[in-house]
Each structure stands twice: as structure tokens, then as C-alpha cells.
């Protein structure tokens, strides 16, 4: 089960090739990825998904939450705490 938790880009860098990555994604019963990676061409080539769960949806923008709809889920659950504190940046250099 090498590479089961790896993302598509990791699979490609590991030298397994696009065909192997597509094969693994096509056979997977569960796929975890970020909202942006769900729009990756390898993930979009997967068969339609039954259920899509977006965690921390309250911290994502509306357009980001629309990206995984390209996977044609039968049902989509958005969960998150809208009152959760946003990330805190303590670096003066990063704030600039």
C-alpha cells in the first residue's frame, strides 16, 4: 500500500508516473486532499464520488468550496466552525 496517503504530486515526483497515480486514485475507496488539489487533472479524472466532505469549510472561501464539485458528488457536506479564530500571524516580516 505504498503511496496510499500520498497526494498526486508526490506520486508523480516519486517516479511512479501518471498512469500509476491515476490507477491508484481510480481504485481508491477514500481520497483525502485539499480543496485546490481536488481540481487537479488527476483527481478530476477519477470516477464520480458518492460523498464529499469539506472540513474547515467556514475557513475556506466560497469559490474554493466550489472546486471539488467537478468530482460530481451525489452529496456534499460542508462542516466547520464560523466562530473559530482565524490564523494568527506573529511575524512582522510576514505581515508586511
Amino acid at each position: 500500500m505504498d503511496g496510499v496517503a500520498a497526494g498526486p504530486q508526490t506520486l508523480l515526483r516519486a517516479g511512479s508516473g501518471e498512469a500509476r497515480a491515476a490507477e491508484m486514485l481510480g481504485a481508491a475507496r477514500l481520497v483525502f486532499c485539499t480543496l485546490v488539489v481536488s481540481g487537479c487533472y488527476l483527481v478530476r479524472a477519477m470516477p464520480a464520488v458518492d460523498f464529499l466532505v469539506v472540513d474547515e469549510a467556514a475557513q475556506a472561501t466560497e469559490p474554493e468550496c466550489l472546486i471539488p464539485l467537478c468530482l460530481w458528488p451525489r452529496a456534499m457536506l460542508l462542516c466547520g466552525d464560523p466562530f473559530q479564530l482565524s490564523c494568527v500571524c506573529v511575524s512582522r516580516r510576514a505581515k508586511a
Side-chain angles (χ1 to χ4, degrees), residues 34-59:
T34 65
L35 291 169
V36 174
V37 169
S38 68
C40 164
Y41 72 97
L42 285 172
V43 177
R44 286 193 328 255
M46 292 174 41
V49 298
D50 290 328
F51 302 102
L52 176 67
V53 178
V54 177
D55 189 22
E56 300 295 341
Q59 298 298 317

Side-chain angles (χ1 to χ4, degrees), residues 5 18 28 44 81 85 92:
E18 288 183 27
R44 286 193 328 255
D81 181 0
L85 294 174
R92 290 184 188 154

Side-chain angles (χ1 to χ4, degrees), residues 88-96:
V88 177
C89 182
V90 294
S91 167
R92 290 184 188 154
R93 186 174 190 193
K95 285 183 181 179

